[in-house]
Amino acid sequence: MRVYVACQFAYVYTGTIMQGFLPTFIRDELLQPLSMDGTITLIPFGTMLLMKSAFCLLSKRLNESDLLNPATRAKCFQFICSIGCMMAMFSLGFVSSPDRVWIGALSLTVFGHSIAAGIPGFAVSTQSLSPQNSAIITQISTVVGVLAGVTAPMVMWIIMTL
Protein backbone atom coordinates (compact mmCIF):
# COMPACT_ATOMS: atom_id res chain seq x y z
CA MET A 1 0.00 0.00 0.00
CA ARG A 2 2.86 2.39 0.80
CA VAL A 3 4.32 1.97 -2.67
CA TYR A 4 0.94 2.61 -4.31
CA VAL A 5 0.43 5.79 -2.27
CA ALA A 6 3.99 6.96 -3.07
CA CYS A 7 3.37 6.34 -6.77
CA GLN A 8 0.12 8.33 -6.60
CA PHE A 9 1.94 11.21 -4.91
CA ALA A 10 4.74 11.21 -7.50
CA TYR A 11 2.31 10.92 -10.42
CA VAL A 12 0.13 13.83 -9.30
CA TYR A 13 3.12 15.93 -8.20
CA THR A 14 4.86 15.53 -11.56
CA GLY A 15 1.68 16.18 -13.51
CA THR A 16 0.92 19.30 -11.46
CA ILE A 17 4.40 20.69 -12.05
CA MET A 18 4.08 20.14 -15.79
CA GLN A 19 0.60 21.60 -16.01
CA GLY A 20 1.35 24.60 -13.83
CA PHE A 21 4.87 25.55 -14.83
CA LEU A 22 5.37 24.38 -18.40
CA PRO A 23 4.03 27.64 -19.91
CA THR A 24 6.37 29.63 -17.65
CA PHE A 25 9.30 27.42 -18.64
CA ILE A 26 8.51 27.88 -22.32
CA ARG A 27 8.31 31.66 -21.93
CA ASP A 28 11.24 32.25 -19.55
CA GLU A 29 13.75 29.53 -20.46
CA LEU A 30 13.03 28.70 -24.09
CA LEU A 31 12.20 32.35 -24.87
CA GLN A 32 9.35 31.33 -27.14
CA PRO A 33 6.54 33.71 -28.04
CA LEU A 34 3.11 33.24 -26.56
CA SER A 35 1.85 31.97 -29.92
CA MET A 36 4.14 28.90 -29.59
CA ASP A 37 3.18 28.21 -25.97
CA GLY A 38 0.06 26.22 -26.78
CA THR A 39 1.79 24.12 -29.41
CA ILE A 40 4.72 23.19 -27.18
CA THR A 41 2.47 22.62 -24.15
CA LEU A 42 0.35 20.24 -26.21
CA ILE A 43 3.30 17.90 -26.84
CA PRO A 44 3.42 16.04 -23.49
CA PHE A 45 -0.32 15.96 -22.95
CA GLY A 46 -1.15 14.96 -26.52
CA THR A 47 1.35 12.10 -26.45
CA MET A 48 0.10 11.14 -22.99
CA LEU A 49 -3.45 10.85 -24.32
CA LEU A 50 -2.37 8.57 -27.15
CA MET A 51 0.06 6.50 -25.11
CA LYS A 52 -2.39 5.85 -22.25
CA SER A 53 -4.56 3.94 -24.68
CA ALA A 54 -1.59 2.13 -26.20
CA PHE A 55 -0.14 1.12 -22.83
CA CYS A 56 -3.53 -0.03 -21.55
CA LEU A 57 -4.05 -2.15 -24.67
CA LEU A 58 -0.57 -3.62 -24.24
CA SER A 59 -1.33 -4.37 -20.60
CA LYS A 60 -4.57 -6.07 -21.61
CA ARG A 61 -2.75 -8.21 -24.17
CA LEU A 62 -0.12 -9.18 -21.59
CA ASN A 63 -2.91 -10.08 -19.19
CA GLU A 64 -4.67 -12.24 -21.77
CA SER A 65 -1.47 -14.03 -22.75
CA ASP A 66 -0.51 -14.77 -19.12
CA LEU A 67 3.02 -13.71 -20.04
CA LEU A 68 3.43 -11.67 -16.84
CA ASN A 69 1.59 -11.92 -13.57
CA PRO A 70 -0.31 -8.78 -12.47
CA ALA A 71 2.33 -7.64 -9.96
CA THR A 72 5.20 -7.94 -12.43
CA ARG A 73 3.18 -6.24 -15.16
CA ALA A 74 2.35 -3.29 -12.88
CA LYS A 75 6.00 -3.00 -11.80
CA CYS A 76 7.23 -2.98 -15.41
CA PHE A 77 4.84 -0.22 -16.44
CA GLN A 78 5.64 1.76 -13.29
CA PHE A 79 9.35 1.41 -14.03
CA ILE A 80 8.78 2.89 -17.50
CA CYS A 81 6.80 5.73 -15.93
CA SER A 82 9.30 6.55 -13.22
CA ILE A 83 12.53 6.27 -15.23
CA GLY A 84 11.12 8.02 -18.31
CA CYS A 85 9.74 10.96 -16.33
CA MET A 86 13.00 11.30 -14.43
CA MET A 87 15.04 11.34 -17.64
CA ALA A 88 12.69 13.84 -19.29
CA MET A 89 12.69 16.22 -16.31
CA PHE A 90 16.47 15.93 -15.99
CA SER A 91 17.03 16.69 -19.67
CA LEU A 92 14.74 19.73 -19.48
CA GLY A 93 17.26 21.23 -17.08
CA PHE A 94 19.74 21.46 -19.95
CA VAL A 95 17.36 23.29 -22.26
CA SER A 96 17.86 26.94 -21.43
CA SER A 97 18.32 28.36 -24.87
CA PRO A 98 15.94 29.20 -27.69
CA ASP A 99 18.35 27.33 -29.98
CA ARG A 100 17.53 24.07 -28.18
CA VAL A 101 13.75 24.06 -28.44
CA TRP A 102 13.92 20.74 -30.26
CA ILE A 103 15.59 19.13 -27.20
CA GLY A 104 12.78 20.50 -25.06
CA ALA A 105 10.19 19.11 -27.46
CA LEU A 106 11.90 15.72 -27.45
CA SER A 107 12.06 15.72 -23.65
CA LEU A 108 8.39 16.63 -23.42
CA THR A 109 7.54 13.80 -25.81
CA VAL A 110 9.46 11.35 -23.63
CA PHE A 111 7.62 12.73 -20.60
CA GLY A 112 4.23 12.22 -22.25
CA HIS A 113 5.08 8.66 -23.27
CA SER A 114 6.48 7.82 -19.86
CA ILE A 115 3.84 9.25 -17.57
CA ALA A 116 1.17 7.43 -19.55
CA ALA A 117 2.69 4.13 -18.39
CA GLY A 118 1.62 4.99 -14.85
CA ILE A 119 -2.00 4.16 -15.66
CA PRO A 120 -1.44 0.43 -16.31
CA GLY A 121 1.32 0.62 -13.71
CA PHE A 122 0.18 1.77 -10.32
CA ALA A 123 -3.26 3.18 -11.14
CA VAL A 124 -4.95 -0.16 -11.76
CA SER A 125 -2.73 -2.30 -9.57
CA THR A 126 -5.00 -2.22 -6.52
CA GLN A 127 -7.67 -4.22 -8.33
CA SER A 128 -5.28 -7.02 -9.16
CA LEU A 129 -3.08 -6.94 -6.08
CA SER A 130 -5.62 -6.41 -3.31
CA PRO A 131 -9.23 -6.44 -4.55
CA GLN A 132 -10.73 -6.62 -1.06
CA ASN A 133 -8.88 -3.47 0.06
CA SER A 134 -8.85 -1.52 -3.19
CA ALA A 135 -11.50 1.00 -2.12
CA ILE A 136 -9.71 2.10 1.05
CA ILE A 137 -6.30 2.16 -0.65
CA THR A 138 -7.73 4.27 -3.47
CA GLN A 139 -9.31 6.71 -1.01
CA ILE A 140 -6.08 7.11 0.96
CA SER A 141 -4.03 7.58 -2.20
CA THR A 142 -6.51 10.14 -3.52
CA VAL A 143 -6.03 12.23 -0.38
CA VAL A 144 -2.26 11.94 -0.77
CA GLY A 145 -2.62 12.89 -4.45
CA VAL A 146 -4.55 16.02 -3.48
CA LEU A 147 -1.78 16.90 -1.04
CA ALA A 148 0.73 16.47 -3.87
CA GLY A 149 -1.33 18.76 -6.08
CA VAL A 150 -1.37 21.41 -3.35
CA THR A 151 2.30 21.18 -2.37
CA ALA A 152 3.80 21.03 -5.87
CA PRO A 153 3.09 24.68 -6.79
CA MET A 154 4.30 25.87 -3.39
CA VAL A 155 7.58 23.94 -3.65
CA MET A 156 8.14 25.13 -7.22
CA TRP A 157 7.46 28.73 -6.20
CA ILE A 158 10.05 28.42 -3.42
CA ILE A 159 12.59 26.92 -5.82
CA MET A 160 11.95 29.60 -8.43
CA THR A 161 12.38 32.44 -5.94
CA LEU A 162 15.72 31.17 -4.61
Side-chain angles (χ1 to χ4, degrees), residues 19-20 31 37 58 144 148 151 159:
Q19 290 171 358
L31 304 174
D37 197 325
L58 177 60
V144 171
T151 59
I159 291 170

Side-chain angles (χ1 to χ4, degrees), residues 2-155:
R2 288 177 284 171
V3 173
Y4 178 80
V5 172
C7 288
Q8 177 75 9
F9 183 89
Y11 189 84
V12 173
Y13 193 90
T14 307
T16 302
I17 287 173
M18 275 298 187
Q19 290 171 358
F21 293 95
L22 187 58
T24 304
F25 176 78
I26 293 167
R27 183 192 68 215
D28 295 346
E29 296 299 323
L30 298 181
L31 304 174
Q32 295 301 305
L34 189 59
S35 60
M36 288 296 297
D37 197 325
T39 305
I40 297 172
T41 303
L42 174 69
I43 293 170
F45 301 108
T47 56
M48 185 188 330
L49 177 68
L50 297 173
M51 291 308 296
K52 278 182 182 180
S53 298
F55 280 132
C56 288
L57 286 173
L58 177 60
S59 180
K60 181 182 175 190
R61 297 272 168 114
L62 289 171
N63 187 37
E64 291 170 351
S65 69
D66 290 330
L67 188 62
L68 298 172
N69 66 41
T72 304
R73 189 174 58 248
K75 288 174 186 177
C76 289
F77 282 111
Q78 190 57 42
F79 179 79
I80 294 168
C81 178
S82 299
I83 296 298
C85 288
M86 183 267 310
M87 290 184 342
M89 294 285 223
F90 184 76
S91 65
L92 281 174
F94 294 101
V95 184
S96 60
S97 165
D99 300 333
R100 298 184 178 180
V101 174
W102 66 273
I103 296 173
L106 181 63
S107 297
L108 293 172
T109 304
V110 170
F111 176 82
H113 280 80
S114 302
I115 200 162
I119 298 301
F122 81 93
V124 297
S125 64
T126 56
Q127 290 297 322
S128 59
L129 300 176
S130 181
Q132 67 276 14
N133 297 322
S134 64
I136 189 80
I137 293 171
T138 302
Q139 290 171 352
I140 292 168
S141 70
T142 300
V143 170
V144 171
V146 169
L147 292 174
V150 170
T151 59
M154 288 189 273
V155 171

